[in-house]
mmCIF file of all heavy atoms in Angstrom:
data_model
loop_
_atom_site.group_PDB
_atom_site.id
_atom_site.type_symbol
_atom_site.label_atom_id
_atom_site.label_comp_id
_atom_site.label_asym_id
_atom_site.label_seq_id
_atom_site.Cartn_x
_atom_site.Cartn_y
_atom_site.Cartn_z
ATOM 1 N N VAL A 661 16.668 -0.619 3.684
ATOM 2 C CA VAL A 661 15.684 0.155 4.458
ATOM 3 C C VAL A 661 15.243 1.381 3.673
ATOM 4 O O VAL A 661 14.050 1.701 3.596
ATOM 5 C CB VAL A 661 16.269 0.553 5.818
ATOM 6 C CG1 VAL A 661 15.306 1.476 6.564
ATOM 7 C CG2 VAL A 661 16.579 -0.685 6.649
ATOM 8 N N GLU A 662 16.202 2.085 3.066
ATOM 9 C CA GLU A 662 15.892 3.306 2.324
ATOM 10 C C GLU A 662 14.922 3.041 1.179
ATOM 11 O O GLU A 662 14.037 3.847 0.895
ATOM 12 C CB GLU A 662 17.185 3.918 1.801
ATOM 13 C CG GLU A 662 16.988 5.237 1.066
ATOM 14 C CD GLU A 662 18.300 5.826 0.581
ATOM 15 O OE1 GLU A 662 19.381 5.315 0.971
ATOM 16 O OE2 GLU A 662 18.244 6.791 -0.201
ATOM 17 N N GLN A 663 15.062 1.883 0.536
ATOM 18 C CA GLN A 663 14.233 1.576 -0.637
ATOM 19 C C GLN A 663 12.875 0.976 -0.263
ATOM 20 O O GLN A 663 11.976 0.931 -1.114
ATOM 21 C CB GLN A 663 14.963 0.580 -1.547
ATOM 22 C CG GLN A 663 16.249 1.116 -2.146
ATOM 23 C CD GLN A 663 16.939 0.063 -3.015
ATOM 24 O OE1 GLN A 663 16.479 -0.243 -4.125
ATOM 25 N NE2 GLN A 663 18.048 -0.485 -2.502
ATOM 26 N N THR A 664 12.714 0.516 0.964
ATOM 27 C CA THR A 664 11.480 -0.188 1.319
ATOM 28 C C THR A 664 10.638 0.498 2.382
ATOM 29 O O THR A 664 9.430 0.253 2.462
ATOM 30 C CB THR A 664 11.797 -1.612 1.839
ATOM 31 O OG1 THR A 664 12.637 -1.522 3.009
ATOM 32 C CG2 THR A 664 12.489 -2.437 0.772
ATOM 33 N N PHE A 665 11.237 1.374 3.206
ATOM 34 C CA PHE A 665 10.497 1.871 4.360
ATOM 35 C C PHE A 665 9.284 2.710 3.960
ATOM 36 O O PHE A 665 8.283 2.750 4.679
ATOM 37 C CB PHE A 665 11.413 2.705 5.272
ATOM 38 C CG PHE A 665 10.809 2.965 6.614
ATOM 39 C CD1 PHE A 665 10.822 1.996 7.604
ATOM 40 C CD2 PHE A 665 10.204 4.184 6.893
ATOM 41 C CE1 PHE A 665 10.252 2.229 8.839
ATOM 42 C CE2 PHE A 665 9.634 4.427 8.131
ATOM 43 C CZ PHE A 665 9.658 3.442 9.109
ATOM 44 N N GLY A 666 9.339 3.344 2.808
ATOM 45 C CA GLY A 666 8.222 4.191 2.398
ATOM 46 C C GLY A 666 7.087 3.451 1.709
ATOM 47 O O GLY A 666 6.089 4.075 1.322
ATOM 48 N N LEU A 667 7.205 2.130 1.523
ATOM 49 C CA LEU A 667 6.156 1.380 0.841
ATOM 50 C C LEU A 667 4.879 1.354 1.670
ATOM 51 O O LEU A 667 4.909 1.101 2.876
ATOM 52 C CB LEU A 667 6.620 -0.053 0.546
ATOM 53 C CG LEU A 667 7.860 -0.185 -0.349
ATOM 54 C CD1 LEU A 667 8.245 -1.643 -0.513
ATOM 55 C CD2 LEU A 667 7.607 0.467 -1.711
ATOM 56 N N THR A 668 3.749 1.601 1.020
ATOM 57 C CA THR A 668 2.471 1.682 1.744
ATOM 58 C C THR A 668 1.411 0.740 1.204
ATOM 59 O O THR A 668 0.365 0.587 1.831
ATOM 60 C CB THR A 668 1.925 3.114 1.681
ATOM 61 O OG1 THR A 668 1.778 3.509 0.296
ATOM 62 C CG2 THR A 668 2.870 4.088 2.381
ATOM 63 N N ASP A 669 1.659 0.115 0.055
ATOM 64 C CA ASP A 669 0.650 -0.746 -0.575
ATOM 65 C C ASP A 669 0.728 -2.138 0.057
ATOM 66 O O ASP A 669 1.452 -3.019 -0.413
ATOM 67 C CB ASP A 669 0.906 -0.813 -2.080
ATOM 68 C CG ASP A 669 -0.340 -1.243 -2.846
ATOM 69 O OD1 ASP A 669 -1.359 -1.526 -2.187
ATOM 70 O OD2 ASP A 669 -0.278 -1.308 -4.079
ATOM 71 N N LEU A 670 -0.037 -2.339 1.132
ATOM 72 C CA LEU A 670 0.077 -3.565 1.912
ATOM 73 C C LEU A 670 -0.490 -4.772 1.168
ATOM 74 O O LEU A 670 -1.473 -4.677 0.420
ATOM 75 C CB LEU A 670 -0.661 -3.409 3.247
ATOM 76 C CG LEU A 670 -0.173 -2.282 4.168
ATOM 77 C CD1 LEU A 670 -0.941 -2.298 5.481
ATOM 78 C CD2 LEU A 670 1.324 -2.377 4.409
ATOM 79 N N ASN A 671 0.156 -5.912 1.386
ATOM 80 C CA ASN A 671 -0.264 -7.209 0.838
ATOM 81 C C ASN A 671 -0.264 -7.225 -0.689
ATOM 82 O O ASN A 671 -1.028 -7.973 -1.307
ATOM 83 C CB ASN A 671 -1.648 -7.613 1.379
ATOM 84 C CG ASN A 671 -1.630 -7.845 2.878
ATOM 85 O OD1 ASN A 671 -0.699 -8.453 3.400
ATOM 86 N ND2 ASN A 671 -2.637 -7.340 3.569
ATOM 87 N N ARG A 672 0.583 -6.429 -1.273
ATOM 88 C CA ARG A 672 0.759 -6.435 -2.728
ATOM 89 C C ARG A 672 2.258 -6.460 -3.021
ATOM 90 O O ARG A 672 3.053 -5.749 -2.389
ATOM 91 C CB ARG A 672 0.108 -5.211 -3.381
ATOM 92 C CG ARG A 672 -1.414 -5.185 -3.240
ATOM 93 C CD ARG A 672 -1.995 -3.913 -3.844
ATOM 94 N NE ARG A 672 -1.833 -3.875 -5.285
ATOM 95 C CZ ARG A 672 -2.695 -4.417 -6.139
ATOM 96 N NH1 ARG A 672 -3.764 -5.047 -5.713
ATOM 97 N NH2 ARG A 672 -2.481 -4.321 -7.436
ATOM 98 N N VAL A 673 2.637 -7.263 -4.001
ATOM 99 C CA VAL A 673 4.051 -7.390 -4.357
ATOM 100 C C VAL A 673 4.559 -6.076 -4.936
ATOM 101 O O VAL A 673 3.940 -5.499 -5.832
ATOM 102 C CB VAL A 673 4.252 -8.529 -5.382
ATOM 103 C CG1 VAL A 673 5.735 -8.670 -5.725
ATOM 104 C CG2 VAL A 673 3.701 -9.847 -4.843
ATOM 105 N N HIS A 674 5.659 -5.596 -4.392
ATOM 106 C CA HIS A 674 6.279 -4.381 -4.942
ATOM 107 C C HIS A 674 6.834 -4.696 -6.328
ATOM 108 O O HIS A 674 7.467 -5.726 -6.558
ATOM 109 C CB HIS A 674 7.405 -3.909 -4.025
ATOM 110 C CG HIS A 674 8.059 -2.658 -4.457
ATOM 111 N ND1 HIS A 674 7.367 -1.509 -4.766
ATOM 112 C CD2 HIS A 674 9.390 -2.350 -4.650
ATOM 113 C CE1 HIS A 674 8.196 -0.558 -5.111
ATOM 114 N NE2 HIS A 674 9.438 -1.042 -5.053
ATOM 115 N N GLU A 675 6.594 -3.808 -7.292
ATOM 116 C CA GLU A 675 6.861 -4.113 -8.694
ATOM 117 C C GLU A 675 8.332 -3.990 -9.082
ATOM 118 O O GLU A 675 8.704 -4.349 -10.200
ATOM 119 C CB GLU A 675 6.021 -3.198 -9.587
ATOM 120 C CG GLU A 675 4.517 -3.430 -9.419
ATOM 121 C CD GLU A 675 3.690 -2.504 -10.305
ATOM 122 O OE1 GLU A 675 4.293 -1.587 -10.905
ATOM 123 O OE2 GLU A 675 2.474 -2.696 -10.395
ATOM 124 N N LYS A 676 9.165 -3.515 -8.194
ATOM 125 C CA LYS A 676 10.579 -3.333 -8.541
ATOM 126 C C LYS A 676 11.467 -4.186 -7.643
ATOM 127 O O LYS A 676 11.154 -4.423 -6.479
ATOM 128 C CB LYS A 676 10.979 -1.859 -8.408
ATOM 129 C CG LYS A 676 10.254 -0.930 -9.370
ATOM 130 C CD LYS A 676 10.726 0.502 -9.186
ATOM 131 C CE LYS A 676 10.028 1.451 -10.160
ATOM 132 N NZ LYS A 676 10.475 2.858 -9.996
ATOM 133 N N LEU A 677 12.581 -4.628 -8.203
ATOM 134 C CA LEU A 677 13.582 -5.325 -7.407
ATOM 135 C C LEU A 677 14.266 -4.341 -6.464
ATOM 136 O O LEU A 677 14.495 -3.197 -6.804
ATOM 137 C CB LEU A 677 14.648 -5.951 -8.307
ATOM 138 C CG LEU A 677 14.267 -7.197 -9.119
ATOM 139 C CD1 LEU A 677 15.455 -7.619 -9.974
ATOM 140 C CD2 LEU A 677 13.842 -8.338 -8.204
ATOM 141 N N ILE A 678 14.589 -4.826 -5.267
ATOM 142 C CA ILE A 678 15.383 -4.056 -4.314
ATOM 143 C C ILE A 678 16.788 -4.646 -4.356
ATOM 144 O O ILE A 678 17.004 -5.810 -4.017
ATOM 145 C CB ILE A 678 14.804 -4.153 -2.893
ATOM 146 C CG1 ILE A 678 13.318 -3.758 -2.887
ATOM 147 C CG2 ILE A 678 15.613 -3.320 -1.936
ATOM 148 C CD1 ILE A 678 13.055 -2.343 -3.329
ATOM 149 N N GLU A 679 17.752 -3.838 -4.788
ATOM 150 C CA GLU A 679 19.119 -4.341 -4.929
ATOM 151 C C GLU A 679 20.002 -3.826 -3.792
ATOM 152 O O GLU A 679 20.007 -2.644 -3.472
ATOM 153 C CB GLU A 679 19.710 -3.899 -6.273
ATOM 154 C CG GLU A 679 21.104 -4.461 -6.516
ATOM 155 C CD GLU A 679 21.637 -4.138 -7.913
ATOM 156 O OE1 GLU A 679 20.894 -3.499 -8.696
ATOM 157 O OE2 GLU A 679 22.788 -4.533 -8.202
ATOM 158 N N THR A 680 20.764 -4.766 -3.205
ATOM 159 C CA THR A 680 21.765 -4.427 -2.185
ATOM 160 C C THR A 680 23.052 -5.163 -2.537
ATOM 161 O O THR A 680 23.077 -5.987 -3.463
ATOM 162 C CB THR A 680 21.298 -4.861 -0.780
ATOM 163 O OG1 THR A 680 21.213 -6.288 -0.721
ATOM 164 C CG2 THR A 680 19.942 -4.266 -0.429
ATOM 165 N N THR A 681 24.102 -4.885 -1.805
ATOM 166 C CA THR A 681 25.374 -5.566 -2.088
ATOM 167 C C THR A 681 25.260 -7.066 -1.868
ATOM 168 O O THR A 681 25.975 -7.847 -2.513
ATOM 169 C CB THR A 681 26.479 -4.999 -1.181
ATOM 170 O OG1 THR A 681 26.068 -5.117 0.178
ATOM 171 C CG2 THR A 681 26.755 -3.534 -1.506
ATOM 172 N N ALA A 682 24.358 -7.492 -0.963
ATOM 173 C CA ALA A 682 24.228 -8.921 -0.652
ATOM 174 C C ALA A 682 23.381 -9.668 -1.671
ATOM 175 O O ALA A 682 23.461 -10.894 -1.755
ATOM 176 C CB ALA A 682 23.626 -9.101 0.739
ATOM 177 N N GLY A 683 22.582 -8.955 -2.455
ATOM 178 C CA GLY A 683 21.737 -9.634 -3.415
ATOM 179 C C GLY A 683 20.517 -8.826 -3.789
ATOM 180 O O GLY A 683 20.497 -7.589 -3.660
ATOM 181 N N PHE A 684 19.481 -9.524 -4.243
ATOM 182 C CA PHE A 684 18.254 -8.880 -4.718
ATOM 183 C C PHE A 684 17.082 -9.321 -3.836
ATOM 184 O O PHE A 684 17.006 -10.468 -3.395
ATOM 185 C CB PHE A 684 17.992 -9.244 -6.179
ATOM 186 C CG PHE A 684 19.087 -8.811 -7.109
ATOM 187 C CD1 PHE A 684 20.139 -9.664 -7.425
ATOM 188 C CD2 PHE A 684 19.089 -7.528 -7.662
ATOM 189 C CE1 PHE A 684 21.159 -9.269 -8.268
ATOM 190 C CE2 PHE A 684 20.108 -7.125 -8.515
ATOM 191 C CZ PHE A 684 21.149 -7.998 -8.820
ATOM 192 N N HIS A 685 16.155 -8.379 -3.616
ATOM 193 C CA HIS A 685 14.997 -8.638 -2.764
ATOM 194 C C HIS A 685 13.721 -8.369 -3.541
ATOM 195 O O HIS A 685 13.613 -7.369 -4.250
ATOM 196 C CB HIS A 685 15.017 -7.746 -1.520
ATOM 197 C CG HIS A 685 16.218 -7.951 -0.661
ATOM 198 N ND1 HIS A 685 16.210 -8.743 0.461
ATOM 199 C CD2 HIS A 685 17.478 -7.437 -0.750
ATOM 200 C CE1 HIS A 685 17.406 -8.711 1.039
ATOM 201 N NE2 HIS A 685 18.199 -7.929 0.308
ATOM 202 N N LEU A 686 12.755 -9.291 -3.403
ATOM 203 C CA LEU A 686 11.405 -9.086 -3.903
ATOM 204 C C LEU A 686 10.526 -8.995 -2.660
ATOM 205 O O LEU A 686 10.470 -9.942 -1.868
ATOM 206 C CB LEU A 686 10.921 -10.244 -4.771
ATOM 207 C CG LEU A 686 11.616 -10.502 -6.116
ATOM 208 C CD1 LEU A 686 13.047 -10.993 -5.922
ATOM 209 C CD2 LEU A 686 10.830 -11.537 -6.904
ATOM 210 N N VAL A 687 9.867 -7.868 -2.464
ATOM 211 C CA VAL A 687 9.215 -7.646 -1.178
ATOM 212 C C VAL A 687 7.721 -7.420 -1.327
ATOM 213 O O VAL A 687 7.238 -6.940 -2.359
ATOM 214 C CB VAL A 687 9.840 -6.450 -0.433
ATOM 215 C CG1 VAL A 687 11.322 -6.702 -0.188
ATOM 216 C CG2 VAL A 687 9.634 -5.155 -1.191
ATOM 217 N N MET A 688 7.014 -7.774 -0.262
ATOM 218 C CA MET A 688 5.591 -7.465 -0.117
ATOM 219 C C MET A 688 5.391 -6.851 1.268
ATOM 220 O O MET A 688 5.629 -7.509 2.279
ATOM 221 C CB MET A 688 4.724 -8.732 -0.248
ATOM 222 C CG MET A 688 3.248 -8.480 0.090
ATOM 223 S SD MET A 688 2.255 -9.993 0.117
ATOM 224 C CE MET A 688 2.027 -10.221 -1.642
ATOM 225 N N PRO A 689 4.978 -5.589 1.351
ATOM 226 C CA PRO A 689 4.688 -4.993 2.661
ATOM 227 C C PRO A 689 3.516 -5.711 3.329
ATOM 228 O O PRO A 689 2.461 -5.919 2.708
ATOM 229 C CB PRO A 689 4.316 -3.544 2.320
ATOM 230 C CG PRO A 689 4.923 -3.299 0.969
ATOM 231 C CD PRO A 689 4.839 -4.614 0.253
ATOM 232 N N LEU A 690 3.718 -6.114 4.566
ATOM 233 C CA LEU A 690 2.681 -6.838 5.295
ATOM 234 C C LEU A 690 1.921 -5.955 6.269
ATOM 235 O O LEU A 690 0.718 -6.127 6.464
ATOM 236 C CB LEU A 690 3.308 -8.010 6.067
ATOM 237 C CG LEU A 690 4.011 -9.074 5.230
ATOM 238 C CD1 LEU A 690 4.615 -10.143 6.140
ATOM 239 C CD2 LEU A 690 3.041 -9.705 4.232
ATOM 240 N N ALA A 691 2.630 -5.037 6.913
ATOM 241 C CA ALA A 691 1.965 -4.193 7.923
ATOM 242 C C ALA A 691 2.832 -2.989 8.241
ATOM 243 O O ALA A 691 4.048 -3.017 8.065
ATOM 244 C CB ALA A 691 1.699 -5.002 9.193
ATOM 245 N N ARG A 692 2.172 -1.935 8.717
ATOM 246 C CA ARG A 692 2.862 -0.765 9.255
ATOM 247 C C ARG A 692 2.244 -0.466 10.613
ATOM 248 O O ARG A 692 1.059 -0.729 10.841
ATOM 249 C CB ARG A 692 2.697 0.460 8.350
ATOM 250 C CG ARG A 692 3.296 0.334 6.982
ATOM 251 C CD ARG A 692 3.266 1.685 6.264
ATOM 252 N NE ARG A 692 4.242 2.608 6.846
ATOM 253 C CZ ARG A 692 5.495 2.734 6.393
ATOM 254 N NH1 ARG A 692 5.915 2.028 5.353
ATOM 255 N NH2 ARG A 692 6.326 3.586 6.965
ATOM 256 N N ARG A 693 3.050 0.058 11.506
ATOM 257 C CA ARG A 693 2.475 0.514 12.760
ATOM 258 C C ARG A 693 3.092 1.855 13.125
ATOM 259 O O ARG A 693 4.288 2.091 12.927
ATOM 260 C CB ARG A 693 2.636 -0.496 13.876
ATOM 261 C CG ARG A 693 4.019 -0.987 14.172
ATOM 262 C CD ARG A 693 3.933 -2.163 15.150
ATOM 263 N NE ARG A 693 5.240 -2.637 15.581
ATOM 264 C CZ ARG A 693 5.436 -3.736 16.304
ATOM 265 N NH1 ARG A 693 4.396 -4.479 16.661
ATOM 266 N NH2 ARG A 693 6.650 -4.099 16.659
ATOM 267 N N PRO A 694 2.258 2.758 13.646
ATOM 268 C CA PRO A 694 2.705 4.135 13.894
ATOM 269 C C PRO A 694 3.621 4.214 15.112
ATOM 270 O O PRO A 694 3.767 3.262 15.891
ATOM 271 C CB PRO A 694 1.394 4.875 14.148
ATOM 272 C CG PRO A 694 0.480 3.827 14.712
ATOM 273 C CD PRO A 694 0.833 2.554 13.992
ATOM 274 N N GLU A 695 4.210 5.362 15.277
ATOM 275 C CA GLU A 695 5.041 5.624 16.441
ATOM 276 C C GLU A 695 4.208 5.463 17.715
ATOM 277 O O GLU A 695 3.017 5.796 17.749
ATOM 278 C CB GLU A 695 5.608 7.048 16.366
ATOM 279 C CG GLU A 695 6.459 7.436 17.559
ATOM 280 C CD GLU A 695 6.921 8.866 17.476
ATOM 281 O OE1 GLU A 695 6.508 9.576 16.540
ATOM 282 O OE2 GLU A 695 7.701 9.288 18.354
ATOM 283 N N MET A 696 4.827 4.959 18.754
ATOM 284 C CA MET A 696 4.124 4.744 20.016
ATOM 285 C C MET A 696 4.980 5.263 21.164
ATOM 286 O O MET A 696 6.197 5.072 21.174
ATOM 287 C CB MET A 696 3.836 3.254 20.226
ATOM 288 C CG MET A 696 3.117 2.950 21.542
ATOM 289 S SD MET A 696 2.831 1.178 21.793
ATOM 290 C CE MET A 696 4.521 0.616 22.049
ATOM 291 N N ARG A 697 4.323 5.906 22.127
ATOM 292 C CA ARG A 697 5.015 6.354 23.337
ATOM 293 C C ARG A 697 4.038 6.239 24.513
ATOM 294 O O ARG A 697 3.075 6.996 24.621
ATOM 295 C CB ARG A 697 5.497 7.787 23.191
ATOM 296 C CG ARG A 697 6.234 8.312 24.425
ATOM 297 C CD ARG A 697 6.879 9.648 24.141
ATOM 298 N NE ARG A 697 7.952 9.508 23.164
ATOM 299 C CZ ARG A 697 9.200 9.144 23.475
ATOM 300 N NH1 ARG A 697 9.527 8.868 24.730
ATOM 301 N NH2 ARG A 697 10.119 9.065 22.538
ATOM 302 N N ARG A 698 4.299 5.277 25.381
ATOM 303 C CA ARG A 698 3.468 5.063 26.567
ATOM 304 C C ARG A 698 4.349 5.216 27.799
ATOM 305 O O ARG A 698 5.318 4.484 27.982
ATOM 306 C CB ARG A 698 2.823 3.675 26.529
ATOM 307 C CG ARG A 698 1.986 3.429 25.280
ATOM 308 C CD ARG A 698 1.444 2.013 25.239
ATOM 309 N NE ARG A 698 0.441 1.789 26.269
ATOM 310 C CZ ARG A 698 -0.085 0.596 26.533
ATOM 311 N NH1 ARG A 698 0.336 -0.471 25.863
ATOM 312 N NH2 ARG A 698 -0.986 0.459 27.482
ATOM 313 N N GLU A 699 3.998 6.157 28.650
ATOM 314 C CA GLU A 699 4.794 6.434 29.843
ATOM 315 C C GLU A 699 4.520 5.376 30.915
ATOM 316 O O GLU A 699 3.545 4.621 30.850
ATOM 317 C CB GLU A 699 4.479 7.832 30.369
ATOM 318 C CG GLU A 699 4.708 8.948 29.369
ATOM 319 C CD GLU A 699 6.167 9.055 28.936
ATOM 320 O OE1 GLU A 699 7.050 8.588 29.693
ATOM 321 O OE2 GLU A 699 6.424 9.601 27.844
ATOM 322 N N LEU A 700 5.390 5.373 31.920
ATOM 323 C CA LEU A 700 5.272 4.385 32.995
ATOM 324 C C LEU A 700 3.901 4.430 33.657
ATOM 325 O O LEU A 700 3.302 3.388 33.941
ATOM 326 C CB LEU A 700 6.367 4.617 34.036
ATOM 327 C CG LEU A 700 6.323 3.722 35.280
ATOM 328 C CD1 LEU A 700 6.420 2.256 34.903
ATOM 329 C CD2 LEU A 700 7.438 4.102 36.256
ATOM 330 N N GLY A 701 3.400 5.634 33.901
ATOM 331 C CA GLY A 701 2.093 5.753 34.545
ATOM 332 C C GLY A 701 0.964 5.140 33.747
ATOM 333 O O GLY A 701 -0.052 4.714 34.301
ATOM 334 N N ASP A 702 1.138 5.079 32.420
ATOM 335 C CA ASP A 702 0.089 4.514 31.559
ATOM 336 C C ASP A 702 0.034 2.995 31.629
ATOM 337 O O ASP A 702 -1.004 2.394 31.319
ATOM 338 C CB ASP A 702 0.314 4.945 30.106
ATOM 339 C CG ASP A 702 0.321 6.457 29.941
ATOM 340 O OD1 ASP A 702 -0.420 7.130 30.686
ATOM 341 O OD2 ASP A 702 1.066 6.959 29.079
ATOM 342 N N VAL A 703 1.150 2.372 31.986
ATOM 343 C CA VAL A 703 1.230 0.906 31.904
ATOM 344 C C VAL A 703 1.580 0.259 33.242
ATOM 345 O O VAL A 703 1.825 -0.937 33.297
ATOM 346 C CB VAL A 703 2.282 0.487 30.845
ATOM 347 C CG1 VAL A 703 1.855 0.951 29.461
ATOM 348 C CG2 VAL A 703 3.663 1.034 31.201
ATOM 349 N N SER A 704 1.585 1.038 34.324
ATOM 350 C CA SER A 704 2.035 0.498 35.608
ATOM 351 C C SER A 704 1.180 -0.682 36.075
ATOM 352 O O SER A 704 1.710 -1.651 36.635
ATOM 353 C CB SER A 704 2.036 1.602 36.674
ATOM 354 O OG SER A 704 0.742 2.169 36.809
#
């Protein structure tokens, strides 16, 4: 999460390997969505 959450270049392969104890990841960011807060009255 620490190595990938800040990626912003959507639909493009990240140029660096992401290494974790379980293995290696090659990632492509697909989408981001902003924080959301909708109260009960908004969606009742």
